[in-house]
Amino acid sequence: MTTTGARHGPGGLRDFYENPLVPVSSGAERGRRQALMLARALGPAGGGRAPATVLDVGCGDGTAAATALPYLSGHRLVGVDWSQDALRRATGRIPFVVRGELSGPGLPFGDGAADAVLFSEVVEHLVDPDAALDELRRVLRPGGHLLLSTPNLAAWYNRGLLLAGVQPVFSEVSLRGIHGRPGSQVVGHLRLYTARALRGFLTAAGFEVVRMAGAPYHDVPRPLRPLDRLACRIPSMASILLVHARRAAR
């Protein structure tokens, strides 16, 4: 999980995301799969090709960027986050970090400045995801790549939980505690998507979805992890949704 763009909404939301006890990283397997998708999209640097500029927007503690770095040799990766605490932790993991947020004045980059954007476990935390996607589209060059990941509301176990009348995993009804669902940690999820909803949302925001894949969730109980990995073969049932989209020309 990463944090950015929490300026809007309840007065306590900014303080919540600046709290160092709130987790700002997610599973290594999700990060690895997303990094491979990005590396395939960009291709190798060199051979007459200029290095790509990759922004990790909502970089959190830099975990996702650090996972991606070995796959992005020759490219330039910049971590961006609103939280000063997260940036302090990210500094030791990635070479470049910049403070910025998706709301207010926007990201500190010019139009079309980036070749790719990593947006890992961020969109589910945003009060205004439409404005956030507009800002990401602005900083991406035409045809630039967006690599987005987010928890799946329709994950295989959530379907069973809803049938049993249990609040789905990943969903939260309070910033003060967990009510009615498995788990014990509040992480500030405000939005949740199914695969179909995420595809429609990205298309409406001016992106063309190239590929959708699944990733496992690191907190699934150990006996269920083989089943969770198997579910990744059907992205609409996977724990985590991974999307490779491109900025449309319009």
Side-chain angles (χ1 to χ4, degrees):
M1 189 271 283
T2 55
T3 58
T4 189
R7 164 173 271 173
H8 301 299
L13 195 57
R14 179 180 285 270
D15 292 338
F16 173 82
Y17 284 128
E18 196 65 84
N19 184 345
L21 297 179
V22 173
V24 291
S25 62
S26 58
E29 180 62 18
R30 188 274 305 157
R32 187 186 70 83
R33 293 186 184 211
Q34 191 174 38
L36 285 169
M37 288 178 74
L38 176 58
R40 284 193 293 266
L42 292 177
R49 298 180 61 180
T53 297
V54 180
L55 306 181
D56 183 1
V57 177
C59 66
D61 65 1
T63 300
T67 300
L69 276 173
Y71 301 96
L72 302 177
S73 178
H75 298 302
R76 182 172 181 259
L77 196 152
V78 181
V80 186
D81 206 287
W82 164 82
S83 168
Q84 292 282 27
D85 178 75
L87 288 176
R88 280 192 292 270
R89 286 182 272 171
T91 300
R93 291 189 170 108
I94 50 181
F96 306 103
V97 295
V98 177
R99 191 172 190 272
E101 57 185 300
L102 291 164
S103 58
L107 297 171
F109 304 98
D111 296 356
D115 300 289
V117 167
L118 275 172
F119 205 47
S120 306
E121 319 292 299
V122 177
V123 69
E124 64 271 18
H125 300 273
L126 300 179
V127 175
D128 190 352
D130 300 287
L133 265 287
D134 289 344
E135 181 64 1
L136 295 183
R137 187 175 182 276
R138 180 190 70 79
V139 299
L140 276 170
R141 64 169 174 79
H145 306 279
L146 173 65
L147 279 296
L148 181 151
S149 66
T150 191
N152 182 10
L153 175 60
W156 60 275
Y157 40 79
N158 279 345
R159 299 179 187 216
L161 290 172
L162 278 171
L163 284 174
V166 178
Q167 187 81 9
V169 175
F170 309 125
S171 66
E172 295 182 333
V173 299
S174 171
L175 293 179
R176 297 177 179 176
I178 298 298
H179 303 285
R181 72 158 172 85
S184 60
Q185 196 165 42
V186 177
V187 293
H189 289 174
L190 306 178
R191 308 278 181 173
L192 287 175
Y193 300 82
T194 65
R196 179 181 295 184
L198 187 58
R199 183 182 292 272
F201 173 58
L202 288 169
T203 300
F207 291 89
E208 298 171 351
V209 176
V210 177
R211 182 187 173 211
M212 187 171 288
Y217 177 46
H218 62 283
D219 268 353
V220 165
R222 187 174 297 276
L224 297 177
R225 289 179 186 177
L227 185 56
D228 193 40
R229 296 182 70 87
L230 185 64
C232 293
R233 298 181 182 180
I234 307 173
S236 62
M237 297 186 70
S239 287
I240 306 295
L241 297 171
L242 303 177
V243 182
H244 170 207
R246 300 192 72 170
R247 178 190 157 176
R250 71 169 177 84

